[in-house]
Amino acid sequence: MSRLMGQMMQMPLMISSLLVHAARHNGDVEIVSKRVEGDVHRYTYRDAELRARKLAQALQRLGCEPGDRVGTLAWNGYRHFEIYYGSSGSGLVCHTVNPRLFPEQIAWIINDAEDRVLCFDLTFLPLVEKLAPLLKTVQHFVLMTDRAHMPAHSPLALQCYDELVESEDGRYEWPEFDENTASSICYTSGTTGHPKGAVYSHRSSVLHAYAAALPDAMDCSGRDVILPVVPMFHVNAWGLPYSVPLVGAKLVMPGPHLDGKSLYELFESEKVSFSAGVPTVWLGLITYMKQNRLQFSTFKRTVIGGSACPPAMIRTLEDEFAVSVIHAWGMTELSPLGTLSKLKGKHDQLSVEDQRRLLEKQGRVIYGIDMKITGNDGETPLPWDGQAAGDLLVRGHWVIRSYFKRPESPLQQGWFPTGDVATIDADGFMQITDRSKDVIKSGGEWISSIDLENIAMAHPAVHEAAAIACKHPKWDERPLLVVVRKPGQTPSKEDILGFYEGKIAKWQIPDDVVFVDEIPHTATGKIQKLKLRELFAHHVLPAA
Amino acid sequence: MSRLMGQMMQMPLMISSLLVHAARHNGDVEIVSKRVEGDVHRYTYRDAELRARKLAQALQRLGCEPGDRVGTLAWNGYRHFEIYYGSSGSGLVCHTVNPRLFPEQIAWIINDAEDRVLCFDLTFLPLVEKLAPLLKTVQHFVLMTDRAHMPAHSPLALQCYDELVESEDGRYEWPEFDENTASSICYTSGTTGHPKGAVYSHRSSVLHAYAAALPDAMDCSGRDVILPVVPMFHVNAWGLPYSVPLVGAKLVMPGPHLDGKSLYELFESEKVSFSAGVPTVWLGLITYMKQNRLQFSTFKRTVIGGSACPPAMIRTLEDEFAVSVIHAWGMTELSPLGTLSKLKGKHDQLSVEDQRRLLEKQGRVIYGIDMKITGNDGETPLPWDGQAAGDLLVRGHWVIRSYFKRPESPLQQGWFPTGDVATIDADGFMQITDRSKDVIKSGGEWISSIDLENIAMAHPAVHEAAAIACKHPKWDERPLLVVVRKPGQTPSKEDILGFYEGKIAKWQIPDDVVFVDEIPHTATGKIQKLKLRELFAHHVLPAA
């Protein structure tokens, strides 16, 4: 039996259409960028769209063919924005590389993605010059600057980005093609094994852009001035380079200047209303503002994600700086938005304190994403009672089904296992309790390493803490706490363990504490728990 | 050269997924309906999703096959909502029929759509009993009520909606199929010729639902309580039955009770925050509230569209009742949202009065829709200067490309001609100046019949006015004003024409005024200008 088909216009969901929309309907709205060169650059969506078309022509002239990857090592700025659209819009694939990774990892990623062109900011010229001999596929090295800032000599046959763009005439029509075509690639920086590439499509990116702008997500409108602090090499700056043109908001790009002073001045001078970034950036901003007794004039709300935001930071931003914090959760494999913490109508009845506790969770899914938690077997669904913690799985329009060049499917019955352990409450508010490989399995019960660390971090003499599982003959695993003391402080093991009393169940308190000078971190600042577990594999826990 | 494909999950955009999302993530949020039966019905998204599944089973049991049309003659209520999802969600096509049309038109439309099942509220039983002999394809007449309200006898083999639903077990999984499958049909009630059906798809409806909820559109969130006054038989209540579950807001359905008192009491008792409807409904509400010196407790904003909203009504709602008005434009062929009037960041600098004048326009497009205005030739683009008025054309994901069963394409080079004449300003704010067939073409210049009517309507002795074109030997056409006087008032032609002085250019002032007892209207309340032009085809204009 044949179904009746709709009789609506058929047009693919194209990334180029986001910028075309902005240029046509918000043509004079500004994109303001702090440049690596030191100055501030201003132009409009109309200018950006024309330059993106010229860039598409230039990439074609360089020999790029549909599907070719264009790599970037760049800060948030207008040229990076042009590359997003000039590459994806013309059927190429934008591959943003995280310059904070170890150089060998960067080379490995560029080779794995087979980038044909590599575009990079002046900052990264020394890095690229060093890496170039390792890069097997890159045919064109494009320095993202103008003629005046090109180096006098370089071992590389450098091309000048501005010259490439300006030598084209812009007579280019954005092509329409299958919306499931790849638009961009981001690599996850896993703590083990090689990084893996998530390959986004035009369709997934446009749907994500719609959802991300919704009132219960980032709530973006044409009245906003939006500054993405989150880098464009971190999962496409959480989709803001797509959602901001979609709503026609003014876009402010901080370049490499992410210190508290630079950010504060830019927030004020450009009248920023909304931002998004990881917790550490806000720490720098808060510190600077407290030291100088400053307040924001226009900045009203921010999304914080990337890693769990400490409740104390949320309260400081809200109570001392009148900035509402939207706690969010996502991952590279989710483009990245999964959940955001926004109240429902029913929560108006809660006390402010109860509302805050709710908003400290990672929040609820936006339409387009679904989630569930399962028991150890990976199948049995767990209740949504805010108590039961299990493996978090997701599915939706902007979730990967496989990794670049990896034939094996990571999915479990169509769901993507996030590797996170979480609770979900009756209202659909999800809270991450741990990474599944970090959870401590004691006698069939799970102990959250994050909970143990958060308590230890609140101890006045603790600089950093990590909780890991140690093998135990009776309980399978028991928690061991690894602590770096603050300079000049010498808390004892008993001091630390006593600090847990009354804060969690007795059986969850670590069995032992070891003091170290340093805890190992990954290039992106995450604690290397695997390494810690190796280091303390033979640690003997005291008898209970 | 083969492109690189994205590696994202592939799932079609299905209407059923909107309700499944609401049931999973906002399961206890209420749907409250005032019933034809007289009482108030309450249940939750979780209940609605289960009942929609049971309805899908029941429709299958009645013999419906994919693509079959399910007609409705019904008010806004939970059963109508269930039919939206139970039919579309299971691969059938929901066909909402406007019960306010003339009975012969209703029969014609149901026959043209070939509805296999017809579901209707108690209100419409007499109508359906009368029409039944004319209906060639309807096999099942389903009365949307419970057993207790079924009539003792009827010439029709009536089935009871609640019994059909309750006899199923709900063990039904929503199918996934091609997202371009038809989901629903709405007929346009043109002023000439037979009505024509717009055939929406799952894809177009879901994309429209995302866009409609954006901050610069209807701005819907999970904190809202939303009451669609616009009927579900008017272009799917402007998409609210899709956008409201998408965001998980509480949904309040007014049933047949659209008078000022009923609406006001429902707004207050259910704490409605947002609504949408045509200007006439708000007129009734405002009148009732003024008479009784009432204010809203929770109602904060409304979308007004369907026909141009008089500026005076916008000001009354804002100044006297603290309700922000979002003026909007759309049409059946656009699902229906095209533009909404929302300020941009740059407009913060305008005076309140200038902001208001801007917001009186129909506004700017949401991403997903594009528009343009052209000259008389239908091709030459006109400037976006807020002055040049031309034919308005649109394109986008939720615009039709053809009508049901009509092989001919209405498109012009891929754009849909709206039949409206409009200006667009430099910021993309569109303002309708006329219907293209009603514009008066005088010496190569266009005169807006709407402008002429708005001025006449402001005259204290005028009850209703219509401006039409009269043939003229020198100027091709000149305006004639047709006026119905207020009871007891006897303004002269000179009174009326004198009222125009200083309000528009002299050459735009009508050449003549005729007084009539009544102006002919269509079933949906629009002035029948075609009929007026026929009536006054031989009217002799006075010499200039």
Side-chain angles (χ1 to χ4, degrees):
Chain A
M1 184 53 47
S2 73
R3 297 176 190 277
L4 185 71
M5 298 310 287
Q7 292 175 237
M8 309 304 286
M9 288 188 183
Q10 291 287 337
M11 35 186 63
L13 295 161
M14 292 276 101
I15 280 178
S16 58
S17 71
L18 294 162
L19 188 54
V20 169
H21 172 84
R24 277 180 68 79
H25 301 284
N26 295 289
D28 65 353
V29 174
E30 278 185 318
I31 300 175
V32 180
S33 308
K34 275 193 95 164
R35 286 203 277 209
V36 175
E37 293 89 336
D39 57 349
V40 172
H41 175 270
R42 305 177 169 273
Y43 70 169
T44 66
Y45 279 117
R46 200 175 287 123
D47 300 327
E49 198 263 341
L50 174 59
R51 295 243 313 175
R53 267 186 278 135
K54 290 183 176 182
L55 176 63
Q57 290 178 301
L59 289 167
Q60 224 166 35
R61 193 175 305 266
L62 289 181
C64 286
E65 292 178 2
D68 279 353
R69 269 74 75 199
V70 176
T72 67
L73 281 163
W75 305 109
N76 292 7
Y78 68 103
R79 293 191 186 100
H80 206 176
F81 181 81
E82 289 164 7
I83 296 169
Y84 265 50
Y85 285 92
S87 61
S88 303
S90 65
L92 307 178
V93 180
C94 183
H95 171 213
T96 51
V97 185
N98 183 348
R100 290 177 181 152
L101 297 176
F102 297 112
E104 306 72 40
Q105 259 184 318
I106 293 177
W108 188 92
I109 286 173
I110 291 173
N111 286 330
D112 190 62
E114 301 172 54
D115 294 342
R116 187 160 181 170
V117 176
L118 185 62
C119 303
F120 48 98
D121 274 333
L122 276 167
T123 319
F124 304 113
L125 178 58
L127 173 68
V128 173
E129 285 180 348
K130 192 178 102 182
L131 290 181
L134 302 174
L135 305 180
K136 297 171 190 155
T137 59
V138 177
Q139 295 171 359
H140 302 281
F141 291 92
V142 180
L143 190 55
M144 293 163 63
T145 191
D146 53 22
R147 169 48 55 193
H149 289 82
M150 290 295 285
H153 34 76
S154 166
L156 301 176
L158 288 178
Q159 310 203 41
C160 171
Y161 178 90
D162 277 7
E163 279 194 337
L164 278 176
V165 167
E166 285 157 15
S167 61
E168 302 294 336
D169 62 11
R171 284 188 210 146
Y172 179 86
E173 282 204 15
W174 296 110
E176 287 202 348
F177 43 85
D178 185 340
E179 66 189 26
N180 292 305
T181 304
S183 57
S184 60
I185 300 185
C186 292
Y187 278 75
T188 61
S189 52
T191 45
T192 58
H194 281 303
K196 290 176 283 190
V199 189
Y200 310 120
S201 69
H202 286 257
R203 174 181 167 103
S204 71
S205 302
V206 171
L207 292 176
H208 182 272
Y210 265 128
L214 288 172
D216 278 337
M218 297 205 196
D219 194 17
C220 302
S221 84
R223 295 192 79 153
D224 278 314
V225 177
I226 300 178
L227 187 152
V229 177
V230 51
M232 292 171 75
F233 53 77
H234 270 178
V235 211
N236 296 328
W238 302 351
L240 286 171
Y242 305 126
S243 289
V244 179
L246 186 151
V247 303
K250 174 175 163 183
L251 182 59
V252 182
M253 300 288 215
H257 312 286
L258 303 180
D259 61 287
K261 181 171 189 290
S262 302
L263 281 179
Y264 177 76
E265 288 170 0
L266 197 57
F267 274 63
E268 288 298 301
S269 62
E270 298 302 328
K271 301 186 172 23
V272 170
S273 63
F274 173 67
S275 185
V278 297
T280 44
V281 166
W282 304 115
L283 200 58
L285 188 56
I286 288 169
T287 304
Y288 172 77
M289 290 178 68
K290 281 192 175 173
Q291 280 166 353
N292 296 278
R293 298 167 184 270
L294 299 168
Q295 286 291 322
F296 292 115
S297 312
T298 55
F299 184 46
K300 290 283 171 281
R301 58 191 211 285
T302 187
V303 166
I304 300 188
S307 57
C309 185
M313 181 181 289
I314 297 179
R315 289 177 188 228
T316 301
L317 279 166
E318 297 192 341
D319 295 344
E320 297 180 36
F321 298 103
V323 175
S324 329
V325 172
I326 306 158
H327 199 197
W329 170 84
M331 55 197 302
T332 303
E333 289 86 343
L334 266 85
S335 306
L337 283 184
T339 64
L340 299 102
S341 221
K342 287 278 184 108
L343 296 179
K344 299 181 175 186
K346 69 188 284 189
H347 298 132
D348 284 348
Q349 297 161 11
L350 295 180
S351 69
V352 170
E353 190 53 34
D354 285 345
Q355 290 182 345
R356 289 185 143 192
R357 268 197 289 271
L358 192 55
L359 292 175
E360 286 166 9
K361 298 186 176 194
Q362 274 81 2
R364 49 201 180 89
V365 292
I366 340 167
Y367 170 74
I369 291 286
D370 200 356
M371 65 179 172
K372 65 176 182 179
I373 46 175
T374 65
N376 295 340
D377 60 358
E379 284 195 21
T380 315
L382 293 186
W384 290 20
D385 58 7
Q387 297 297 321
D391 290 321
L392 178 68
L393 293 100
V394 294
R395 63 193 294 270
H397 298 288
W398 49 87
V399 180
I400 67 155
R401 65 166 195 273
S402 57
Y403 292 99
F404 188 50
K405 290 182 173 178
R406 308 269 180 133
E408 69 276 15
S409 169
L411 306 188
Q412 295 177 5
Q413 286 95 43
W415 292 75
F416 178 79
T418 64
D420 281 320
V421 176
T423 62
I424 305 178
D425 70 18
D427 289 327
F429 279 70
M430 184 273 286
Q431 183 163 32
I432 302 283
T433 60
D434 220 330
R435 290 290 297 167
S436 62
K437 60 182 187 303
D438 298 335
V439 80
I440 298 150
K441 290 162 187 158
S442 170
E445 297 287 342
W446 288 7
I447 303 172
S448 160
S449 67
I450 294 178
D451 282 354
L452 298 183
E453 289 158 8
N454 280 345
I455 294 170
M457 293 286 282
H459 189 290
V462 171
H463 172 70
E464 190 168 25
I468 58 171
C470 252
K471 290 250 178 299
H472 190 283
K474 180 171 175 188
W475 301 105
D476 292 334
E477 294 179 357
R478 286 296 301 161
L480 168 68
L481 192 72
V482 183
V483 167
V484 180
R485 284 178 277 213
K486 281 193 183 157
Q489 303 278 328
T490 53
S492 68
K493 166 183 160 179
E494 288 69 28
D495 287 338
I496 304 287
L497 293 182
F499 194 66
Y500 280 92
E501 277 171 31
K503 298 197 172 79
I504 47 170
K506 281 206 170 134
W507 61 270
Q508 295 178 321
I509 297 177
D511 280 17
D512 203 1
V513 179
V514 290
F515 296 99
V516 296
D517 291 338
E518 204 181 352
I519 285 177
H521 291 90
T522 68
T524 52
K526 293 175 185 164
I527 292 176
Q528 284 189 305
K529 292 233 175 145
L530 182 71
K531 196 156 183 180
L532 275 184
R533 282 194 294 268
E534 285 168 6
L535 278 171
F536 294 99
H538 304 292
H539 182 81
V540 180
L541 293 168
Chain B
M1 184 56 44
S2 71
R3 296 177 191 277
L4 185 71
M5 299 310 287
Q7 291 176 239
M8 309 304 286
M9 287 188 183
Q10 292 286 337
M11 35 187 62
L13 295 162
M14 292 275 102
I15 279 178
S16 58
S17 71
L18 293 162
L19 188 54
V20 169
H21 172 84
R24 277 180 67 79
H25 301 283
N26 295 288
D28 65 353
V29 175
E30 278 186 316
I31 299 175
V32 180
S33 307
K34 275 194 96 164
R35 286 203 279 207
V36 176
E37 293 89 335
D39 58 350
V40 171
H41 175 271
R42 303 176 170 275
Y43 71 169
T44 65
Y45 279 116
R46 199 175 288 122
D47 301 327
E49 198 265 340
L50 175 59
R51 295 244 312 176
R53 266 186 280 134
K54 290 182 176 182
L55 175 63
Q57 290 178 303
L59 290 167
Q60 223 165 36
R61 193 177 303 267
L62 291 181
C64 288
E65 291 177 3
D68 280 352
R69 269 74 74 197
V70 176
T72 67
L73 280 163
W75 305 109
N76 292 7
Y78 69 103
R79 294 190 186 100
H80 206 175
F81 181 82
E82 290 165 8
I83 295 170
Y84 265 51
Y85 285 92
S87 61
S88 304
S90 64
L92 308 178
V93 180
C94 183
H95 171 212
T96 51
V97 185
N98 182 349
R100 291 176 182 152
L101 297 176
F102 297 113
E104 305 73 37
Q105 259 185 320
I106 293 176
W108 188 92
I109 286 173
I110 291 173
N111 286 329
D112 189 63
E114 302 174 55
D115 293 343
R116 187 160 182 170
V117 177
L118 184 63
C119 303
F120 49 98
D121 274 333
L122 277 167
T123 319
F124 305 112
L125 179 57
L127 173 68
V128 173
E129 285 180 347
K130 192 178 102 183
L131 290 182
L134 302 174
L135 305 180
K136 298 170 189 156
T137 58
V138 177
Q139 295 171 359
H140 303 282
F141 292 91
V142 179
L143 190 56
M144 292 162 64
T145 190
D146 53 22
R147 170 49 54 192
H149 288 83
M150 289 297 284
H153 33 76
S154 165
L156 300 176
L158 289 177
Q159 309 203 42
C160 171
Y161 178 90
D162 276 8
E163 279 194 337
L164 278 177
V165 168
E166 285 158 15
S167 62
E168 302 294 336
D169 62 11
R171 283 188 211 145
Y172 179 86
E173 282 204 16
W174 296 111
E176 287 202 349
F177 43 84
D178 185 340
E179 67 188 26
N180 292 305
T181 303
S183 57
S184 61
I185 300 186
C186 292
Y187 278 73
T188 61
S189 52
T191 46
T192 59
H194 280 303
K196 290 176 282 191
V199 190
Y200 310 120
S201 69
H202 286 257
R203 175 183 167 103
S204 72
S205 302
V206 171
L207 291 176
H208 182 272
Y210 264 128
L214 288 172
D216 278 337
M218 297 205 194
D219 194 17
C220 302
S221 84
R223 295 192 80 153
D224 278 314
V225 178
I226 299 178
L227 187 152
V229 178
V230 52
M232 291 170 76
F233 53 77
H234 271 179
V235 212
N236 296 328
W238 301 350
L240 286 171
Y242 304 127
S243 289
V244 180
L246 186 152
V247 303
K250 174 176 163 182
L251 182 60
V252 182
M253 299 289 215
H257 312 287
L258 303 180
D259 61 286
K261 181 171 189 289
S262 301
L263 281 179
Y264 177 76
E265 288 170 359
L266 196 57
F267 274 63
E268 288 298 302
S269 63
E270 297 303 328
K271 301 186 174 18
V272 171
S273 62
F274 173 68
S275 185
V278 297
T280 44
V281 167
W282 303 115
L283 201 58
L285 187 57
I286 288 170
T287 305
Y288 173 77
M289 289 177 69
K290 279 191 175 175
Q291 280 167 354
N292 296 277
R293 297 166 185 270
L294 299 168
Q295 285 291 324
F296 292 115
S297 311
T298 55
F299 185 46
K300 290 283 171 281
R301 59 191 211 284
T302 186
V303 166
I304 300 188
S307 56
C309 185
M313 181 182 289
I314 297 179
R315 288 177 189 230
T316 300
L317 280 166
E318 296 192 343
D319 295 344
E320 298 180 37
F321 299 103
V323 175
S324 331
V325 172
I326 305 158
H327 198 198
W329 170 84
M331 53 196 302
T332 304
E333 288 87 343
L334 266 83
S335 306
L337 283 185
T339 64
L340 299 105
S341 222
K342 287 279 184 104
L343 296 180
K344 298 180 174 187
K346 67 188 285 188
H347 298 132
D348 284 348
Q349 298 162 9
L350 295 180
S351 70
V352 171
E353 190 53 35
D354 286 344
Q355 289 181 345
R356 288 184 144 191
R357 269 197 288 270
L358 191 56
L359 292 174
E360 285 164 11
K361 298 186 176 195
Q362 274 81 2
R364 49 200 180 90
V365 293
I366 341 167
Y367 170 74
I369 290 287
D370 201 357
M371 65 180 172
K372 64 175 181 180
I373 45 175
T374 64
N376 295 340
D377 60 358
E379 282 194 24
T380 314
L382 293 186
W384 290 21
D385 57 8
Q387 297 298 322
D391 290 323
L392 178 68
L393 294 101
V394 293
R395 64 195 294 270
H397 298 289
W398 49 88
V399 180
I400 68 154
R401 65 165 194 272
S402 56
Y403 292 100
F404 189 49
K405 290 181 173 177
R406 308 269 178 131
E408 69 277 14
S409 169
L411 306 190
Q412 295 176 4
Q413 285 96 39
W415 292 75
F416 177 79
T418 64
D420 281 321
V421 176
T423 61
I424 305 177
D425 70 18
D427 290 328
F429 279 69
M430 185 273 286
Q431 183 165 31
I432 302 283
T433 61
D434 222 330
R435 290 292 297 166
S436 62
K437 59 183 189 302
D438 298 335
V439 81
I440 298 151
K441 289 164 188 158
S442 169
E445 297 286 342
W446 288 7
I447 302 173
S448 159
S449 67
I450 294 178
D451 282 354
L452 298 183
E453 288 158 9
N454 280 346
I455 293 170
M457 293 286 281
H459 189 290
V462 171
H463 172 68
E464 190 168 24
I468 58 169
C470 251
K471 289 251 177 297
H472 190 283
K474 179 171 175 192
W475 301 104
D476 293 333
E477 293 179 358
R478 286 295 302 160
L480 168 70
L481 192 72
V482 183
V483 167
V484 180
R485 286 179 275 215
K486 281 193 182 158
Q489 303 278 328
T490 53
S492 68
K493 166 183 159 181
E494 288 70 28
D495 287 339
I496 304 286
L497 293 183
F499 195 64
Y500 279 93
E501 277 169 32
K503 298 198 173 78
I504 48 169
K506 280 203 170 140
W507 62 269
Q508 295 177 322
I509 296 178
D511 279 16
D512 203 1
V513 179
V514 290
F515 295 100
V516 297
D517 289 340
E518 204 180 351
I519 285 176
H521 290 90
T522 67
T524 51
K526 292 175 185 165
I527 292 176
Q528 286 188 304
K529 293 236 175 140
L530 183 70
K531 197 157 184 178
L532 275 184
R533 282 193 295 266
E534 285 167 5
L535 280 170
F536 294 99
H538 303 293
H539 182 79
V540 180
L541 294 170

